[in-house]
Amino acid sequence: MHSARFALPLQGKSDGMEAINVFFSIISQWLWGWPMVVLLLGTHLFLTVRLRVPQRKLLTGIMLSVKKDHSAKGDVSQFGALATSLAATIGIGNIVGVATAVALGGPGAVLWCWLTGIFGISTKYAEGLLAVKYRVKGDDGRYYGGPMYALERGLGMKWLAVLFAVFTALASFGIGCTVQANSIALLANETFGVPTWLVGIFVCLLTAVVILGGVKQIAKVCTVLVPFMAVFYVVGCIVILCMNAPYVWPALKLIVHSAFNPSAAGGGFVGATVIMAARYGIARGLFSNESGMGSAPIVAAAAQTRNPVRQALVSSTGTFWDTVVICALTGMVLVSSILAYLDISYADGAALTKVAFSKIPYVGAPLLTVGSLTFAFSTILGWSYYGESAVNYIEGHRINRFYRILFVVALFFGSIINLNIIWNIADCMNALMAIPNLVALLLLSGVAARETKKYLWGNRLDEEMNETEQ
């Protein structure tokens, strides 16, 4: 697989690069270990209670997401903001990530992943609320917001806001740029035999056409791309579940039972424990839906909305679609396929996913390939806006065009080099993003609770927010 790449000096074969790679690998494992899992899941549970279970209004959020409100202030529609955040959130992790959790933690990991999504809805809700509450209108007439503005305007922590912006900008070149381009290039090379450098050029050109137009163009493309890729993938999962119909109910029972008694899964899962099932399921769920990471509220702040709670409800549906629906379907497909085809090896997450989808005659493998390609490309679009907003916070919109050009150039290099070290650095940056964001969420939970009480539980969702409230 690596032989298809150019032999550039950045391949990490030197002792110095290898040492750096090992260092960031250790830091990444520590940052995404139990302390972060407990902190994120604890925040989900705390906000669910503090905000009086906003999950109850999920259907309202879904209905609001498809309503247009041109009279409200903002740059893009609420659905456009949601689609852009979903573009960055729904990615390869929804496909291979769930399979990895199953391979390492057993079928029970699927239930823990699903539960993480259920409680993560409240955190995504609070992020969207604070993003609109503390957003600002820039000199260019556009709205900007996110954890950095909540930290500065809500808590007076400018230094922590800058740190979040720096981590976000760095992460955008990692998980949101080079590693996605690398995934696309390798997948296209392995499936269709297209040279990685040629794929890199194509991805650069396609991305440039979209992101050089700014957030409105990104949102416009995402409103078309996200529903297509989600429906395309979901239909594929449903087809597989229909093929595995006799094993769907046994798979569901196995997932629930093995979440608390992994040895019940039998076979290669006998060595799994409740701790392993919970750890890998929760960690994959947290990483997949990005609730608590602080990325999604950046685009939520640009939404046309009458008050913070309306957009908060719309934002919260992102976690529902990403984890409660797509990740759950993926998990059911994988576990039912293991039961239906006992010859499937579940030691490797990527291989397990590939074998499961290949059971669909003729179209299974192409479906997985197209799904993976569109998921990765959509992630590029969403993260390009996150990174640009972070840079804009630090240096102003004067260098936005420079950032876009640099982002496109990075895409090409990501397509042709080995990215082991970039993966590890990106994982570290994502974790470091979450820490300042969680500080803002916890310390401003009282503000979120008051806004929720006023607009949501007070039945005032249609009321306009006064400028003095921001």
Side-chain angles (χ1 to χ4, degrees), residues 356-384:
F357 275 83
S358 67
K359 296 301 179 179
I360 304 179
Y362 306 111
V363 299
L367 186 149
L368 180 61
T369 299
V370 173
S372 299
L373 290 174
T374 54
F375 281 12
F377 180 67
S378 70
T379 299
I380 290 172
L381 298 183
W383 270 93
S384 70

PDB file of all heavy atoms in Angstrom, residues 356-384:
ATOM      1  N   ALA A 356     -17.984  -7.317   5.096  1.00  0.00           N
ATOM      2  CA  ALA A 356     -19.419  -7.201   5.332  1.00  0.00           C
ATOM      3  C   ALA A 356     -20.129  -6.580   4.134  1.00  0.00           C
ATOM      4  O   ALA A 356     -21.176  -7.064   3.687  1.00  0.00           O
ATOM      5  CB  ALA A 356     -19.677  -6.370   6.592  1.00  0.00           C
ATOM      6  N   PHE A 357     -19.560  -5.512   3.575  1.00  0.00           N
ATOM      7  CA  PHE A 357     -20.196  -4.839   2.444  1.00  0.00           C
ATOM      8  C   PHE A 357     -20.035  -5.630   1.145  1.00  0.00           C
ATOM      9  O   PHE A 357     -20.857  -5.504   0.240  1.00  0.00           O
ATOM     10  CB  PHE A 357     -19.628  -3.430   2.270  1.00  0.00           C
ATOM     11  CG  PHE A 357     -20.299  -2.400   3.139  1.00  0.00           C
ATOM     12  CD1 PHE A 357     -19.922  -2.231   4.452  1.00  0.00           C
ATOM     13  CD2 PHE A 357     -21.335  -1.617   2.648  1.00  0.00           C
ATOM     14  CE1 PHE A 357     -20.545  -1.306   5.272  1.00  0.00           C
ATOM     15  CE2 PHE A 357     -21.975  -0.690   3.454  1.00  0.00           C
ATOM     16  CZ  PHE A 357     -21.585  -0.523   4.772  1.00  0.00           C
ATOM     17  N   SER A 358     -18.984  -6.421   1.061  1.00  0.00           N
ATOM     18  CA  SER A 358     -18.769  -7.195  -0.165  1.00  0.00           C
ATOM     19  C   SER A 358     -19.820  -8.298  -0.337  1.00  0.00           C
ATOM     20  O   SER A 358     -19.936  -8.894  -1.410  1.00  0.00           O
ATOM     21  CB  SER A 358     -17.372  -7.823  -0.159  1.00  0.00           C
ATOM     22  OG  SER A 358     -17.268  -8.814   0.845  1.00  0.00           O
ATOM     23  N   LYS A 359     -20.603  -8.559   0.718  1.00  0.00           N
ATOM     24  CA  LYS A 359     -21.649  -9.576   0.629  1.00  0.00           C
ATOM     25  C   LYS A 359     -22.813  -9.124  -0.254  1.00  0.00           C
ATOM     26  O   LYS A 359     -23.642  -9.924  -0.649  1.00  0.00           O
ATOM     27  CB  LYS A 359     -22.152  -9.939   2.029  1.00  0.00           C
ATOM     28  CG  LYS A 359     -21.091 -10.580   2.927  1.00  0.00           C
ATOM     29  CD  LYS A 359     -20.539 -11.866   2.317  1.00  0.00           C
ATOM     30  CE  LYS A 359     -19.470 -12.484   3.195  1.00  0.00           C
ATOM     31  NZ  LYS A 359     -18.938 -13.747   2.617  1.00  0.00           N
ATOM     32  N   ILE A 360     -22.884  -7.799  -0.536  1.00  0.00           N
ATOM     33  CA  ILE A 360     -23.900  -7.317  -1.477  1.00  0.00           C
ATOM     34  C   ILE A 360     -23.375  -7.580  -2.885  1.00  0.00           C
ATOM     35  O   ILE A 360     -22.348  -7.018  -3.281  1.00  0.00           O
ATOM     36  CB  ILE A 360     -24.170  -5.807  -1.314  1.00  0.00           C
ATOM     37  CG1 ILE A 360     -24.573  -5.478   0.111  1.00  0.00           C
ATOM     38  CG2 ILE A 360     -25.260  -5.355  -2.281  1.00  0.00           C
ATOM     39  CD1 ILE A 360     -24.828  -3.993   0.330  1.00  0.00           C
ATOM     40  N   PRO A 361     -24.025  -8.414  -3.658  1.00  0.00           N
ATOM     41  CA  PRO A 361     -23.512  -8.750  -4.996  1.00  0.00           C
ATOM     42  C   PRO A 361     -23.329  -7.527  -5.883  1.00  0.00           C
ATOM     43  O   PRO A 361     -24.199  -6.649  -5.933  1.00  0.00           O
ATOM     44  CB  PRO A 361     -24.601  -9.679  -5.557  1.00  0.00           C
ATOM     45  CG  PRO A 361     -25.307 -10.222  -4.348  1.00  0.00           C
ATOM     46  CD  PRO A 361     -25.275  -9.115  -3.343  1.00  0.00           C
ATOM     47  N   TYR A 362     -22.211  -7.458  -6.542  1.00  0.00           N
ATOM     48  CA  TYR A 362     -21.895  -6.466  -7.561  1.00  0.00           C
ATOM     49  C   TYR A 362     -21.691  -5.034  -7.011  1.00  0.00           C
ATOM     50  O   TYR A 362     -20.758  -4.351  -7.399  1.00  0.00           O
ATOM     51  CB  TYR A 362     -22.982  -6.430  -8.658  1.00  0.00           C
ATOM     52  CG  TYR A 362     -23.257  -7.771  -9.265  1.00  0.00           C
ATOM     53  CD1 TYR A 362     -24.471  -8.415  -9.036  1.00  0.00           C
ATOM     54  CD2 TYR A 362     -22.303  -8.401 -10.075  1.00  0.00           C
ATOM     55  CE1 TYR A 362     -24.728  -9.667  -9.591  1.00  0.00           C
ATOM     56  CE2 TYR A 362     -22.552  -9.644 -10.627  1.00  0.00           C
ATOM     57  CZ  TYR A 362     -23.764 -10.276 -10.387  1.00  0.00           C
ATOM     58  OH  TYR A 362     -24.005 -11.504 -10.933  1.00  0.00           O
ATOM     59  N   VAL A 363     -22.587  -4.564  -6.170  1.00  0.00           N
ATOM     60  CA  VAL A 363     -22.542  -3.147  -5.775  1.00  0.00           C
ATOM     61  C   VAL A 363     -21.993  -2.917  -4.371  1.00  0.00           C
ATOM     62  O   VAL A 363     -21.795  -1.776  -3.961  1.00  0.00           O
ATOM     63  CB  VAL A 363     -23.952  -2.512  -5.866  1.00  0.00           C
ATOM     64  CG1 VAL A 363     -24.480  -2.572  -7.273  1.00  0.00           C
ATOM     65  CG2 VAL A 363     -24.913  -3.192  -4.893  1.00  0.00           C
ATOM     66  N   GLY A 364     -21.742  -3.997  -3.623  1.00  0.00           N
ATOM     67  CA  GLY A 364     -21.299  -3.838  -2.233  1.00  0.00           C
ATOM     68  C   GLY A 364     -19.986  -3.094  -2.092  1.00  0.00           C
ATOM     69  O   GLY A 364     -19.895  -2.091  -1.371  1.00  0.00           O
ATOM     70  N   ALA A 365     -18.957  -3.562  -2.799  1.00  0.00           N
ATOM     71  CA  ALA A 365     -17.640  -2.934  -2.714  1.00  0.00           C
ATOM     72  C   ALA A 365     -17.659  -1.496  -3.252  1.00  0.00           C
ATOM     73  O   ALA A 365     -17.120  -0.589  -2.612  1.00  0.00           O
ATOM     74  CB  ALA A 365     -16.599  -3.772  -3.466  1.00  0.00           C
ATOM     75  N   PRO A 366     -18.294  -1.244  -4.431  1.00  0.00           N
ATOM     76  CA  PRO A 366     -18.382   0.142  -4.903  1.00  0.00           C
ATOM     77  C   PRO A 366     -19.147   1.046  -3.938  1.00  0.00           C
ATOM     78  O   PRO A 366     -18.793   2.215  -3.765  1.00  0.00           O
ATOM     79  CB  PRO A 366     -19.135   0.009  -6.239  1.00  0.00           C
ATOM     80  CG  PRO A 366     -18.855  -1.374  -6.692  1.00  0.00           C
ATOM     81  CD  PRO A 366     -18.800  -2.192  -5.437  1.00  0.00           C
ATOM     82  N   LEU A 367     -20.177   0.508  -3.300  1.00  0.00           N
ATOM     83  CA  LEU A 367     -20.947   1.304  -2.340  1.00  0.00           C
ATOM     84  C   LEU A 367     -20.051   1.754  -1.194  1.00  0.00           C
ATOM     85  O   LEU A 367     -20.089   2.917  -0.781  1.00  0.00           O
ATOM     86  CB  LEU A 367     -22.123   0.480  -1.816  1.00  0.00           C
ATOM     87  CG  LEU A 367     -23.126   1.198  -0.897  1.00  0.00           C
ATOM     88  CD1 LEU A 367     -24.508   0.590  -1.077  1.00  0.00           C
ATOM     89  CD2 LEU A 367     -22.718   1.130   0.563  1.00  0.00           C
ATOM     90  N   LEU A 368     -19.256   0.842  -0.660  1.00  0.00           N
ATOM     91  CA  LEU A 368     -18.345   1.183   0.433  1.00  0.00           C
ATOM     92  C   LEU A 368     -17.295   2.183  -0.027  1.00  0.00           C
ATOM     93  O   LEU A 368     -16.963   3.127   0.690  1.00  0.00           O
ATOM     94  CB  LEU A 368     -17.666  -0.082   0.962  1.00  0.00           C
ATOM     95  CG  LEU A 368     -16.675   0.126   2.118  1.00  0.00           C
ATOM     96  CD1 LEU A 368     -17.376   0.722   3.332  1.00  0.00           C
ATOM     97  CD2 LEU A 368     -16.001  -1.194   2.492  1.00  0.00           C
ATOM     98  N   THR A 369     -16.808   1.996  -1.244  1.00  0.00           N
ATOM     99  CA  THR A 369     -15.789   2.903  -1.776  1.00  0.00           C
ATOM    100  C   THR A 369     -16.335   4.310  -1.959  1.00  0.00           C
ATOM    101  O   THR A 369     -15.736   5.296  -1.512  1.00  0.00           O
ATOM    102  CB  THR A 369     -15.258   2.378  -3.131  1.00  0.00           C
ATOM    103  OG1 THR A 369     -14.658   1.102  -2.935  1.00  0.00           O
ATOM    104  CG2 THR A 369     -14.222   3.349  -3.702  1.00  0.00           C
ATOM    105  N   VAL A 370     -17.498   4.417  -2.612  1.00  0.00           N
ATOM    106  CA  VAL A 370     -18.111   5.732  -2.826  1.00  0.00           C
ATOM    107  C   VAL A 370     -18.462   6.382  -1.498  1.00  0.00           C
ATOM    108  O   VAL A 370     -18.244   7.586  -1.293  1.00  0.00           O
ATOM    109  CB  VAL A 370     -19.374   5.607  -3.714  1.00  0.00           C
ATOM    110  CG1 VAL A 370     -20.109   6.939  -3.793  1.00  0.00           C
ATOM    111  CG2 VAL A 370     -18.998   5.139  -5.106  1.00  0.00           C
ATOM    112  N   GLY A 371     -18.979   5.584  -0.566  1.00  0.00           N
ATOM    113  CA  GLY A 371     -19.309   6.118   0.748  1.00  0.00           C
ATOM    114  C   GLY A 371     -18.081   6.667   1.449  1.00  0.00           C
ATOM    115  O   GLY A 371     -18.103   7.767   2.009  1.00  0.00           O
ATOM    116  N   SER A 372     -16.999   5.909   1.401  1.00  0.00           N
ATOM    117  CA  SER A 372     -15.757   6.344   2.055  1.00  0.00           C
ATOM    118  C   SER A 372     -15.193   7.605   1.400  1.00  0.00           C
ATOM    119  O   SER A 372     -14.732   8.518   2.082  1.00  0.00           O
ATOM    120  CB  SER A 372     -14.719   5.215   2.000  1.00  0.00           C
ATOM    121  OG  SER A 372     -15.183   4.071   2.688  1.00  0.00           O
ATOM    122  N   LEU A 373     -15.224   7.662   0.064  1.00  0.00           N
ATOM    123  CA  LEU A 373     -14.696   8.816  -0.662  1.00  0.00           C
ATOM    124  C   LEU A 373     -15.494  10.079  -0.355  1.00  0.00           C
ATOM    125  O   LEU A 373     -14.921  11.143  -0.093  1.00  0.00           O
ATOM    126  CB  LEU A 373     -14.702   8.544  -2.168  1.00  0.00           C
ATOM    127  CG  LEU A 373     -13.696   7.509  -2.682  1.00  0.00           C
ATOM    128  CD1 LEU A 373     -13.920   7.239  -4.162  1.00  0.00           C
ATOM    129  CD2 LEU A 373     -12.260   7.966  -2.439  1.00  0.00           C
ATOM    130  N   THR A 374     -16.816   9.969  -0.382  1.00  0.00           N
ATOM    131  CA  THR A 374     -17.644  11.149  -0.121  1.00  0.00           C
ATOM    132  C   THR A 374     -17.554  11.578   1.337  1.00  0.00           C
ATOM    133  O   THR A 374     -17.549  12.767   1.639  1.00  0.00           O
ATOM    134  CB  THR A 374     -19.118  10.882  -0.494  1.00  0.00           C
ATOM    135  OG1 THR A 374     -19.570   9.701   0.183  1.00  0.00           O
ATOM    136  CG2 THR A 374     -19.280  10.716  -1.977  1.00  0.00           C
ATOM    137  N   PHE A 375     -17.471  10.609   2.254  1.00  0.00           N
ATOM    138  CA  PHE A 375     -17.330  10.943   3.668  1.00  0.00           C
ATOM    139  C   PHE A 375     -16.031  11.719   3.899  1.00  0.00           C
ATOM    140  O   PHE A 375     -16.007  12.719   4.615  1.00  0.00           O
ATOM    141  CB  PHE A 375     -17.323   9.671   4.520  1.00  0.00           C
ATOM    142  CG  PHE A 375     -18.694   9.096   4.765  1.00  0.00           C
ATOM    143  CD1 PHE A 375     -19.798   9.535   4.054  1.00  0.00           C
ATOM    144  CD2 PHE A 375     -18.881   8.095   5.705  1.00  0.00           C
ATOM    145  CE1 PHE A 375     -21.064   9.003   4.274  1.00  0.00           C
ATOM    146  CE2 PHE A 375     -20.140   7.560   5.941  1.00  0.00           C
ATOM    147  CZ  PHE A 375     -21.230   8.009   5.219  1.00  0.00           C
ATOM    148  N   ALA A 376     -14.950  11.245   3.293  1.00  0.00           N
ATOM    149  CA  ALA A 376     -13.652  11.897   3.491  1.00  0.00           C
ATOM    150  C   ALA A 376     -13.641  13.299   2.872  1.00  0.00           C
ATOM    151  O   ALA A 376     -13.128  14.257   3.467  1.00  0.00           O
ATOM    152  CB  ALA A 376     -12.534  11.048   2.872  1.00  0.00           C
ATOM    153  N   PHE A 377     -14.216  13.440   1.665  1.00  0.00           N
ATOM    154  CA  PHE A 377     -14.223  14.748   1.010  1.00  0.00           C
ATOM    155  C   PHE A 377     -15.084  15.749   1.780  1.00  0.00           C
ATOM    156  O   PHE A 377     -14.733  16.913   1.916  1.00  0.00           O
ATOM    157  CB  PHE A 377     -14.734  14.623  -0.426  1.00  0.00           C
ATOM    158  CG  PHE A 377     -14.768  15.930  -1.170  1.00  0.00           C
ATOM    159  CD1 PHE A 377     -13.590  16.588  -1.483  1.00  0.00           C
ATOM    160  CD2 PHE A 377     -15.967  16.510  -1.540  1.00  0.00           C
ATOM    161  CE1 PHE A 377     -13.607  17.810  -2.160  1.00  0.00           C
ATOM    162  CE2 PHE A 377     -16.003  17.727  -2.204  1.00  0.00           C
ATOM    163  CZ  PHE A 377     -14.816  18.380  -2.514  1.00  0.00           C
ATOM    164  N   SER A 378     -16.223  15.283   2.291  1.00  0.00           N
ATOM    165  CA  SER A 378     -17.080  16.191   3.050  1.00  0.00           C
ATOM    166  C   SER A 378     -16.386  16.664   4.317  1.00  0.00           C
ATOM    167  O   SER A 378     -16.558  17.807   4.751  1.00  0.00           O
ATOM    168  CB  SER A 378     -18.405  15.498   3.398  1.00  0.00           C
ATOM    169  OG  SER A 378     -18.229  14.479   4.365  1.00  0.00           O
ATOM    170  N   THR A 379     -15.586  15.791   4.916  1.00  0.00           N
ATOM    171  CA  THR A 379     -14.834  16.171   6.106  1.00  0.00           C
ATOM    172  C   THR A 379     -13.850  17.291   5.782  1.00  0.00           C
ATOM    173  O   THR A 379     -13.657  18.219   6.573  1.00  0.00           O
ATOM    174  CB  THR A 379     -14.079  14.957   6.682  1.00  0.00           C
ATOM    175  OG1 THR A 379     -15.025  13.943   7.046  1.00  0.00           O
ATOM    176  CG2 THR A 379     -13.269  15.346   7.913  1.00  0.00           C
ATOM    177  N   ILE A 380     -13.241  17.220   4.621  1.00  0.00           N
ATOM    178  CA  ILE A 380     -12.312  18.260   4.172  1.00  0.00           C
ATOM    179  C   ILE A 380     -13.014  19.611   4.106  1.00  0.00           C
ATOM    180  O   ILE A 380     -12.498  20.626   4.591  1.00  0.00           O
ATOM    181  CB  ILE A 380     -11.712  17.899   2.798  1.00  0.00           C
ATOM    182  CG1 ILE A 380     -10.755  16.720   2.927  1.00  0.00           C
ATOM    183  CG2 ILE A 380     -10.988  19.105   2.180  1.00  0.00           C
ATOM    184  CD1 ILE A 380     -10.259  16.178   1.596  1.00  0.00           C
ATOM    185  N   LEU A 381     -14.206  19.632   3.526  1.00  0.00           N
ATOM    186  CA  LEU A 381     -14.942  20.889   3.383  1.00  0.00           C
ATOM    187  C   LEU A 381     -15.306  21.481   4.733  1.00  0.00           C
ATOM    188  O   LEU A 381     -15.126  22.683   4.974  1.00  0.00           O
ATOM    189  CB  LEU A 381     -16.210  20.658   2.554  1.00  0.00           C
ATOM    190  CG  LEU A 381     -16.029  20.180   1.120  1.00  0.00           C
ATOM    191  CD1 LEU A 381     -17.379  20.075   0.423  1.00  0.00           C
ATOM    192  CD2 LEU A 381     -15.111  21.121   0.344  1.00  0.00           C
ATOM    193  N   GLY A 382     -15.829  20.650   5.624  1.00  0.00           N
ATOM    194  CA  GLY A 382     -16.239  21.148   6.933  1.00  0.00           C
ATOM    195  C   GLY A 382     -15.066  21.678   7.739  1.00  0.00           C
ATOM    196  O   GLY A 382     -15.132  22.775   8.315  1.00  0.00           O
ATOM    197  N   TRP A 383     -13.972  20.949   7.747  1.00  0.00           N
ATOM    198  CA  TRP A 383     -12.817  21.361   8.547  1.00  0.00           C
ATOM    199  C   TRP A 383     -12.084  22.560   7.945  1.00  0.00           C
ATOM    200  O   TRP A 383     -11.411  23.302   8.655  1.00  0.00           O
ATOM    201  CB  TRP A 383     -11.862  20.192   8.743  1.00  0.00           C
ATOM    202  CG  TRP A 383     -12.201  19.408   9.973  1.00  0.00           C
ATOM    203  CD1 TRP A 383     -12.991  18.308  10.060  1.00  0.00           C
ATOM    204  CD2 TRP A 383     -11.778  19.697  11.303  1.00  0.00           C
ATOM    205  NE1 TRP A 383     -13.091  17.893  11.361  1.00  0.00           N
ATOM    206  CE2 TRP A 383     -12.353  18.715  12.149  1.00  0.00           C
ATOM    207  CE3 TRP A 383     -10.963  20.686  11.868  1.00  0.00           C
ATOM    208  CZ2 TRP A 383     -12.148  18.701  13.529  1.00  0.00           C
ATOM    209  CZ3 TRP A 383     -10.755  20.666  13.244  1.00  0.00           C
ATOM    210  CH2 TRP A 383     -11.335  19.690  14.061  1.00  0.00           C
ATOM    211  N   SER A 384     -12.216  22.763   6.649  1.00  0.00           N
ATOM    212  CA  SER A 384     -11.591  23.954   6.052  1.00  0.00           C
ATOM    213  C   SER A 384     -12.206  25.215   6.647  1.00  0.00           C
ATOM    214  O   SER A 384     -11.506  26.213   6.890  1.00  0.00           O
ATOM    215  CB  SER A 384     -11.764  23.946   4.531  1.00  0.00           C
ATOM    216  OG  SER A 384     -13.123  24.166   4.162  1.00  0.00           O
TER     217      SER A 384
END
